[in-house]
Every structure is written in C-alpha cells, then in structure tokens.
Amino acid sequence: MKTALMHLQKPGRKRKSTTFLNYNIMVGVGMLWLILFNIVPMIGIVMAFENYDPVKGFFRSDFIGLENFQYLFSMSDSRRVIVNTIIIAVSKLVLNVIVPLVFALLLNEIRKMKFKKIVQTVVYLPHFLSWVILASIFLELFSFRGAFNTIVSTFGVEPKIWFAEEKYFRQLVIFSDVWKEFGYNAVIYLAALTGVSQDLYEAAAIDGCSRLKAVWHITLPGIAPTIVVVAVLGLGNVLNAGFDQVFNLYSPLVYSTGDILDTWVYRMGLLNVQFSLATAAGLFKSAISFILIVVSYIIAYKAADYKIF
C-alpha cells in the first residue's frame, strides 16, 4: 500500500519540481536582463565626477568632484532647457489628466454601444504610432504649403512654418502629445467608471436629478481616487518632456523655447563629445525624478490609499 502511494505521489512531485525549475529560469532571465541593461550601465555615472577621457576609461580619468555640476548650473543654456522642460512637461501632465477625463465622461454618456466602440477605437489608435511617423505627418500638415496654412489663410492668417516659430513651438508640442495620448489615457477613467454603481444614477433620476448634476455629484466623486492617483503619479515625469517627440519636431530655430533637458544632453554628449557634462545633467535629472517619484507615491498613499505592494 505504501509503495502504491509513493508511486502515485511521484508524478505530482515531478510536476512541482518542473514548475519550480521553469519559474527559476524565467526569473533568472529577467534578472540577467535587468543586470546587463540597467545595473551594469550605471557604472557610467562616475563620468559625472570626472574629466572623462575615453582613452583612459572610467577608472583612470581625472577625478574633479562636483566641478561638472557647478559648470552645468552656471551655463545659461542649462537654465533655459530646465525651464523649457518644466513648462512643457507640466502642461502635458495637467492636460493629459483633464482632457482624457472630459472625453471619458462624454463617452460614458453615449448610449449607442456600436458608435461608442468606434469612437473609442479611432481615438485610441494614435497611441500606437511612433513619433518618427507622427512628426513627419505634423511637420507636413503645418508646413508652409501644408493643410493647416491652407485652412487658416482663408481667415486672413499669413502662412508660416509653424514648427519653426519660437512662440508657437511649445503649444504645438503640447497639443500634439495630448492628441496622441488622450484616447489611451481615457481607458483608465472608463475602467473606473464601470465601478460606479448604476443604482446611484437610478436613485438620482427618481429624485429628478439631471445628467449634468449626476456627473458632478455621483460620477466624479466615484472616480475621484483614480483621478488623484493618475495626477499624483504623473509628478514623477515632471522632467520627462518627451525626447522622442521634441527630437523629431524641433530645429535650431526653436532651441530657445523647445530645447529640453533630454535633447540638450543628447547634443552635449553625442554631438559635442562632452561626456562628463552630459552625464552630470542626466544624473541631475534622474535624481530629481527619483525624489519626485517617492514623493508622489507618498502623496498617493495619503490621498487615495494607493499602495504598490
């Protein structure tokens, strides 16, 4: 009898050990990827504290302490790109909360499900297009002979290359980013709206409450924790103004208003070969972003009881 039981248990043990082995392999591959592409490259941080010489390498270049940071903050260019980064990133953060929220509320009021799904799919699609493609489209649309100039010229507006105009570049960058992402960001709010009890709307309708008042007194309070979490967690991206987008849209003509920290680091490091200065700027950005991420999670926990674990 004991022998029979042992034979019955062996296949289960084998499956369990195989599952455990597969799990370890999967975790091991992920950890290897993390170490090779995220941990090992961090050795390059030492360049921020050195007068880096590619011939000497990381560990034999002259150590100069915080001189790169002092020089960085003394440059007028660095102050300009930090201001540009904050303006563009904060504007994107605010509008990428408000616009998707308004769109989700409007879409939620549509009762024809087929039409609702079509609209949601159409506005969702731009999220999957890269900025390499979208930048070419926008630059063509807003070119001197583009469709936008053709339309506005009928109202007496003088044609111009809009993405080459300093005073319009930020607005166009912010508008194009919101247009690209609002359909995707609205999915979060649409998912939250499904959690609002329909009984509340029925009770409000019996009491004579209009749809607008129901949105204000039922819908918004019902998804308020989601709104708070999305808004607060976006604080960690205050210094991420969108390298892909700006890099593919800007030109030297708009550096004064369109140059951001990431594009400036790219030019200093790869084009001007000032590796130490570019690394110092990148490290400064990473340190501020890390602090903001920690603060945002603390605020999210206090305001909306949001927890990572």
Side-chain angles (χ1 to χ4, degrees):
M1 188 69 178
K2 289 183 179 180
T3 306
L5 287 173
M6 289 176 64
H7 282 296
L8 288 173
Q9 291 173 356
K10 279 182 180 179
R13 290 180 181 177
K14 187 176 181 180
R15 284 195 298 271
K16 189 178 292 185
S17 61
T18 304
T19 304
F20 183 73
L21 179 62
N22 292 337
Y23 175 78
N24 285 338
I25 291 173
M26 291 176 62
V27 172
V29 171
M31 290 299 296
L32 182 62
W33 180 276
L34 179 68
I35 292 170
L36 289 178
F37 294 97
N38 292 86
I39 306 300
V40 173
M42 290 184 70
I43 297 173
I45 290 174
V46 299
M47 286 193 293
F49 307 96
E50 297 176 338
N51 183 16
Y52 178 69
D53 186 345
V55 177
K56 294 180 179 179
F58 294 134
F59 303 110
R60 289 188 294 174
S61 297
D62 298 330
F63 182 79
I64 58 175
L66 299 176
E67 289 185 19
N68 286 319
F69 293 93
Q70 294 172 355
Y71 179 61
L72 172 66
F73 295 120
S74 67
M75 297 174 66
S76 59
D77 284 354
S78 64
R79 292 193 291 270
R80 184 196 69 210
V81 298
I82 290 173
V83 170
N84 289 341
T85 301
I86 292 174
I87 291 174
I88 293 174
V90 170
S91 300
K92 286 183 179 180
L93 173 63
V94 173
L95 291 176
N96 277 323
V97 171
I98 296 175
V99 175
L101 174 61
V102 173
F103 174 74
L105 293 174
L106 292 174
L107 196 63
N108 189 55
E109 295 301 312
I110 297 175
R111 293 294 172 259
K112 294 183 179 180
M113 294 303 298
K114 189 174 181 179
F115 177 73
K116 183 176 180 179
K117 290 179 180 180
I118 292 173
V119 172
Q120 188 174 353
T121 302
V122 170
V123 299
Y124 190 78
L125 288 176
H127 170 76
F128 297 100
L129 298 177
S130 70
W131 275 114
V132 176
I133 297 171
L134 285 178
S136 300
I137 295 172
F138 275 108
L139 290 174
E140 183 63 30
L141 285 173
F142 289 89
S143 64
F144 190 80
R145 296 176 183 241
F148 186 76
N149 275 326
T150 303
I151 295 171
V152 298
S153 62
T154 59
F155 299 97
V157 179
E158 185 179 349
K160 60 188 71 176
I161 304 175
W162 294 89
F163 277 99
E165 296 285 331
E166 292 181 350
K167 59 182 179 180
Y168 299 118
F169 184 78
R170 285 178 186 162
Q171 292 90 323
L172 289 171
V173 167
I174 295 165
F175 160 77
S176 58
D177 182 78
V178 173
W179 172 84
K180 180 178 183 291
E181 299 295 341
F182 84 94
Y184 177 79
N185 294 332
V187 173
I188 300 172
Y189 299 114
L190 289 171
L193 287 170
T194 61
V196 180
S197 176
Q198 294 300 314
D199 295 338
L200 296 175
Y201 293 107
E202 294 174 3
I206 293 172
D207 291 338
C209 182
S210 65
R211 293 300 301 177
L212 182 61
K213 288 184 178 180
V215 169
W216 184 258
H217 294 288
I218 299 174
T219 307
L220 287 178
I223 63 173
T226 302
I227 299 171
V228 171
V229 169
V230 171
V232 170
L233 295 185
L235 290 175
N237 292 318
V238 165
L239 293 182
N240 292 323
F243 172 79
D244 291 344
Q245 180 191 15
V246 176
F247 180 76
N248 284 288
L249 290 173
Y250 83 152
S251 66
L253 295 173
V254 294
Y255 277 173
S256 61
T257 58
D259 198 16
I260 61 174
L261 200 54
D262 289 331
T263 54
W264 187 82
V265 168
Y266 165 79
R267 290 202 316 278
M268 288 296 106
L270 296 181
L271 301 185
N272 296 345
V273 201
Q274 297 187 35
F275 299 114
S276 295
L277 183 62
T279 304
L283 183 58
F284 163 74
K285 176 196 166 185
S286 298
I288 298 298
S289 297
F290 175 75
I291 293 170
L292 290 174
I293 288 171
V294 173
V295 171
S296 66
Y297 277 113
I298 293 173
I299 296 174
Y301 174 71
K302 298 291 185 182
D305 197 29
Y306 175 82
K307 298 178 182 178
I308 306 176
F309 304 107

